[in-house]
Amino acid sequence: GGPLSPARAMLAALPLLLPAALPSISAADPAPYDHTHLYIADCGTDKYQKPWVPGGPKGHITIGGFNVCMDNGQPFGGEGSVVQVYTCHPLSDDEINQGWAFGDDGLLRTTQPGNRCVSINDGGTAFLTSKCDQKWVLSKEGEFIHESTKKCLTAQDPGPPIELPKLNIIPGEIFSWGGSSGGDMAIQFHVAFSKHVNGVCGNDAQPYHCAVTYFPNDYLLPQTNESGVPYCYKCPDGMTVLYDKCKNHPQHVDVGMLPDYPRRVCGDGGKPGCIDDAANIYDDYVYLSRGECRTYIGGAEVNTLAMYGMMTTDPQTQLKYVDKCAPGAHSTDDESNCISHLFGASPKRTLKPPVNYANGRVHTFDMTPFITDVNVGFEEQGYIYIPKNCQNGTTACHLLVHFHGCGGLQGVQQNRTVHCYAESNNIVVLYPRIKKTNNVSRTYPNSYEIARGCWDGYGQLSEDYALQSGKHMSIAWNMIAHIAGIE
């Protein structure tokens, strides 16, 4: 009984207005990336338009059966906040920026204070405003249809994996970056490939080759088939060192010995396939930080800093270290610090402020053509962020290679800080990946850390783990050489 509301009347007329709808998202489709803005598009043109499911716990609205929720981003509920998708917060979380109310009035409101509603700007992008003058209809198929334009609220389709492209990368403008296990890998990569990799950011990172090097004050253990450090440099025969000694017992590290291995292992000047000439590091910029305050006592990062202090010409300018665990230390953003130091401190480069929203695209790409050993833990797909200016090859761009920490990498946020800097400074960001759980231990029995999604920072795959020929090192380099066109 009773007349239809304007919104319901519009819905009743929709079959006459809409083209044949595409199938909904299937279980085989990837989830939308975190921090991707929502926008409107012609209904039926994208399967990431449905089903939206409102009325979830704490007002959650999910998309496509994924653990992905409608979310409001910066300024987080304030006027003009972006409307995006993001991994659903746990029910125990006290954040309220994923709470929404949708009723018969056709308004899609945030439950945060301020009485703001989802609206569409002139560019077709969703945002929050207190005007609350734009209405929506939820179709039977789960589409949110914008009443005035008859278009559907859409999440960006991640798309199928692409072939890793060849891009216009500036020679000498490749950088490595990572935290924890990824920080160890970033340091290794910088030192070993210093001819091409000209700067590094390492968070909670130990010095190069430290984990397997015997120092005079180190504890020694009998070498066994279960040793976490299966190859030891300078150990007595049949002996090895403690696993993770450089992070747990940094006071035993002879800092003066740290530059010796990269300078001498392959002879003066280095050689291809082994290690590049350590003299390449003389003018490089390095950002280091400590953020793991419970597991490690902090000396590992200081020792890494000291190592680079002996390998650079102006350590006061070229090196930056932030101890986020120090008494009275303030919270700091490693991504912003990393880019600001590599690009803002170096006279070679000019740093531009980050954009508010990264308009490039995160792609998955096929890593299999570059994997020379399928038994060392790699995923089949990696991620790459390509700024708009870098996509057609006409603009010369920088390349930043990110190595994740233990546990693998299960997704990349579209609008993370580094991508906002990447967009304004023409930086391609590459994310090679190790599986969170893999079968590496069947072939390499000592590979406990790699089996849980870590990079090889302890020689668990091979004695040459920190050289260009190392299993993880060489495969990551295959991808970089392809992107940058390096023979």
Side-chain angles (χ1 to χ4, degrees):
L4 293 174
S5 68
R8 299 298 178 189
M10 193 273 278
L11 177 58
L14 282 175
L16 301 175
L17 301 172
L18 299 180
L22 292 176
S24 296
I25 302 168
S26 73
D29 291 315
Y33 294 124
D34 283 352
H35 285 302
T36 51
H37 283 193
L38 299 180
Y39 61 96
I40 54 171
D42 290 336
C43 296
T45 58
D46 196 312
K47 59 187 174 182
Y48 285 79
Q49 295 173 337
K50 64 180 182 181
W52 292 101
V53 182
K58 300 179 72 172
H60 287 174
I61 298 177
T62 59
I63 174 70
F66 300 113
N67 184 39
V68 173
C69 284
M70 189 181 298
D71 181 282
N72 65 74
Q74 293 181 345
F76 304 110
E79 189 71 16
S81 294
V82 302
V83 181
Q84 59 189 14
V85 288
Y86 192 81
T87 302
C88 298
H89 296 313
L91 299 185
S92 59
D93 200 321
D94 60 1
E95 293 193 46
I96 58 173
N97 60 319
Q98 293 183 345
W100 305 93
F102 179 67
D104 287 343
D105 61 1
L107 296 175
L108 183 51
R109 289 186 172 91
T110 175
T111 57
Q112 289 178 276
N115 191 36
R116 292 185 175 89
C117 301
V118 177
S119 298
I120 299 298
N121 64 20
D122 292 340
T125 302
F127 72 106
L128 286 183
T129 176
S130 58
K131 289 183 178 180
C132 289
D133 58 355
Q134 298 185 28
K135 296 186 177 183
W136 300 84
V137 172
L138 183 65
S139 74
K140 292 180 180 179
E141 290 76 24
E143 298 152 311
F144 269 120
I145 303 166
H146 191 234
E147 187 177 59
S148 63
T149 64
K150 310 299 188 291
K151 294 187 177 184
C152 283
L153 191 63
T154 306
Q156 187 180 90
D157 185 344
I162 64 171
E163 292 184 5
L164 191 62
K166 292 186 177 181
L167 300 171
N168 184 2
I169 302 300
I170 305 167
E173 288 297 299
I174 300 173
F175 309 92
S176 57
W177 159 49
S180 192
S181 168
D184 300 343
M185 182 68 172
I187 300 297
Q188 289 173 200
F189 209 79
H190 174 227
V191 174
F193 290 99
S194 62
K195 179 180 178 181
H196 301 286
V197 181
N198 297 143
V200 62
C201 297
N203 317 125
D204 297 311
Q206 64 184 321
Y208 179 80
H209 203 252
C210 183
V212 303
T213 299
Y214 171 63
F215 301 107
N217 291 323
D218 275 338
Y219 300 110
L220 287 170
L221 303 171
Q223 180 65 273
T224 71
N225 291 334
E226 297 182 354
S227 297
V229 182
Y231 304 98
C232 178
Y233 179 66
K234 293 191 173 182
C235 275
D237 290 346
M239 305 299 286
T240 190
V241 289
L242 291 171
Y243 166 75
D244 228 6
K245 68 185 183 71
C246 295
K247 295 186 178 182
N248 290 314
H249 303 285
Q251 70 276 14
H252 294 166
V253 174
D254 184 340
V255 174
M257 292 175 59
L258 292 173
D260 292 347
Y261 184 84
R263 285 173 175 164
R264 299 175 183 175
V265 63
C266 301
D268 290 341
K271 61 182 179 182
C274 185
I275 193 171
D276 289 334
D277 190 346
N280 293 319
I281 298 173
Y282 286 169
D283 61 353
D284 288 356
Y285 279 67
V286 177
Y287 171 75
L288 302 169
S289 72
R290 175 192 174 207
E292 174 48 78
C293 308
R294 294 173 297 177
T295 306
Y296 305 130
I297 64 175
E301 297 81 4
V302 173
N303 287 341
T304 306
L305 183 72
M307 180 195 76
Y308 275 117
M310 292 181 280
M311 301 178 76
T312 52
T313 54
D314 184 6
Q316 293 296 321
T317 301
Q318 293 169 240
L319 311 183
K320 181 175 181 178
Y321 173 62
V322 174
D323 186 350
K324 295 186 285 185
C325 305
H330 298 288
S331 177
T332 185
D333 181 356
D334 278 326
E335 294 188 22
S336 179
N337 284 346
C338 169
I339 299 298
S340 297
H341 186 65
L342 293 183
F343 287 81
S346 171
K348 296 181 181 178
R349 306 169 192 103
T350 300
L351 178 69
K352 296 180 180 179
V355 298
N356 291 326
Y357 184 75
N359 290 312
R361 183 79 178 269
V362 175
H363 295 274
T364 57
F365 72 92
D366 183 9
M367 293 199 300
T368 58
F370 310 100
I371 298 173
T372 52
D373 186 340
V374 297
N375 297 311
V376 295
F378 276 89
E379 293 272 14
E380 292 184 356
Q381 297 173 4
Y383 302 116
I384 185 169
Y385 179 83
I386 307 177
K388 283 194 171 182
N389 287 344
C390 302
Q391 292 174 9
N392 61 13
T394 58
T395 300
C397 296
H398 315 271
L399 176 61
L400 178 64
V401 185
H402 175 265
F403 297 104
H404 59 72
C406 291
L409 180 64
Q410 310 312 313
V412 173
Q413 296 176 2
Q414 168 77 20
N415 205 44
R416 66 184 301 177
T417 299
V418 70
H419 294 167
C420 293
Y421 276 104
E423 195 65 38
S424 56
N425 291 279
N426 299 327
I427 307 169
V428 177
V429 188
L430 179 72
Y431 299 88
R433 300 167 65 209
I434 301 295
K435 289 181 182 179
K436 183 177 182 180
T437 55
N438 53 67
N439 65 353
V440 65
S441 59
R442 295 181 182 179
T443 307
Y444 300 92
N446 297 81
S447 56
Y448 307 109
E449 294 1 282
I450 294 94
R452 61 187 185 94
C454 306
W455 297 94
D456 190 8
Y458 300 91
Q460 294 181 354
L461 294 177
S462 59
E463 189 172 6
D464 65 348
Y465 79 100
L467 303 181
Q468 295 179 5
S469 54
K471 304 278 186 186
H472 284 176
M473 299 278 279
S474 60
I475 291 173
W477 177 252
N478 290 342
M479 301 177 206
I480 293 162
H482 174 85
I483 294 172
I486 299 172
E487 300 295 333

